[in-house]
Amino acid sequence: MTSVDLNADMGESFGPWNMGDDSSLLKTITSANIACGFHAGDPDVMAKTMTLAAENGVGIGAHPGFPDLQGFGRRNMKVPHDTLRNMVRYQLGAAQGMADALGITVRHLKLHGALANMCSVDADMARACYQGALDVDPDIIIMVLAATKQEATVRDLGCKWVGEIFADRAYNDDGTLVDRSLPGAVIHDPAIAGPRILEMVRAGAIITESGKHIETSIDTICLHGDTPTAVQLAKSVRDSLTTGGISVTKFEL
């Protein structure tokens, strides 16, 4: 692998409440996943974040989640598949409407939090969400958790997709993320995150907590914008990759 995309979840502030340092992150990443108002964000935040992303030449994506502002979209919810499909349609439509008004294009979609985690082990649930997105935009690029049911689903759907790994999360041997409630699930140390990701990109594989290698396509690397060391982590990952001979560029299909 000679190049890779860096993405971050952002636009997650709400009214006067601020989450993350989006303006700084946008100087390091190449793709932005912007909250659509269900788990975080509001219309003003969405417009501001999209504008900043466009000014920095960063690719823009919709980041739909469960309707869970209080829990930041990280609480599991039992939702009928028809409703899931409509929830994704609704959120992508909001993102596209705002982007159109600003003269910007939404090029990809990535599920957030608990919704994404549940879809990584439930192909039927993933299909409902992704079909909802494709109903709105058949050309949307779906960003999936690599080597999970999400990837299997987009392969089956035959849509455009890219595989994602996380710079700041630990992995189980089945390719899913270690639960946030467990020790070591979230990596906060930039000195660990950068070299760890370079090792995975060079190996073309997810390296789990046990040391197992899961071979997969690594097209983009996620940096969570809501962690205290997010900006430092992003810089460490980018510097490690470029020093290791991997260019950091916006993904293209």
Side-chain angles (χ1 to χ4, degrees):
M1 182 172 290
T2 58
S3 67
V4 71
D5 174 78
L6 290 183
N7 79 81
D9 305 341
M10 53 182 52
E12 293 177 322
S13 299
F14 188 82
W17 182 76
N18 187 65
M19 170 65 83
D21 187 355
D22 290 355
S23 59
S24 294
L25 266 179
L26 284 165
K27 293 178 172 60
T28 301
I29 64 170
T30 49
S31 292
N33 319 308
I34 299 174
C36 301
F38 270 37
H39 78 276
D42 62 37
D44 289 338
V45 170
M46 182 185 284
K48 179 181 177 181
T49 309
M50 284 184 172
T51 300
L52 281 172
E55 289 173 351
N56 282 274
V58 172
I60 292 170
H63 195 38
F66 282 133
D68 179 27
L69 285 173
Q70 186 180 24
F72 200 63
R74 288 182 175 152
R75 299 183 292 194
N76 287 8
M77 297 179 70
K78 187 174 182 180
V79 180
H81 289 175
D82 284 347
T83 301
L84 281 175
R85 189 176 297 112
N86 286 332
M87 281 168 42
V88 172
R89 288 169 175 164
Y90 185 98
Q91 293 178 78
L92 175 56
Q96 288 191 327
M98 185 65 74
D100 287 348
L102 298 170
I104 297 167
T105 300
V106 174
R107 65 197 300 263
H108 73 274
L109 176 138
K110 172 188 165 181
L111 301 178
H112 168 80
L115 179 59
N117 290 337
M118 293 173 75
C119 288
S120 72
V121 295
D122 186 333
D124 291 335
M125 187 174 175
R127 176 177 284 271
C129 291
Y130 295 149
Q131 189 59 63
L134 295 168
D135 290 344
V136 175
D137 183 357
D139 292 321
I140 197 80
I141 300 166
I142 308 291
M143 191 179 287
V144 301
L145 290 173
T148 69
K149 297 291 187 182
Q150 289 188 21
E151 179 176 335
T153 300
V154 290
R155 286 183 180 276
D156 187 52
L157 286 169
C159 60
K160 297 177 182 177
W161 66 276
V162 290
E164 173 192 54
I165 64 169
F166 286 83
D168 54 2
R169 294 295 306 277
Y171 281 90
N172 298 309
D173 282 353
D174 63 355
T176 59
L177 300 174
V178 174
D179 190 281
R180 281 178 175 269
S181 65
L182 299 176
V186 181
I187 297 162
H188 297 287
D189 189 346
I192 293 174
R196 171 178 175 267
I197 284 300
L198 177 60
E199 183 183 8
M200 289 194 196
V201 171
R202 282 178 167 169
I206 292 168
I207 301 175
T208 71
E209 284 289 88
S210 71
K212 178 182 177 180
H213 283 52
I214 304 173
E215 291 187 9
T216 189
S217 173
I218 301 174
D219 304 302
T220 185
I221 297 162
C222 178
L223 300 142
H224 283 101
D226 61 305
T227 56
T229 56
V231 175
Q232 296 93 323
L233 276 167
K235 188 175 186 305
S236 171
V237 169
R238 183 158 189 150
D239 288 349
S240 292
L241 289 168
T242 54
T243 301
I246 310 295
S247 64
V248 176
T249 58
K250 187 162 52 180
F251 61 79
E252 299 291 346
L253 295 182

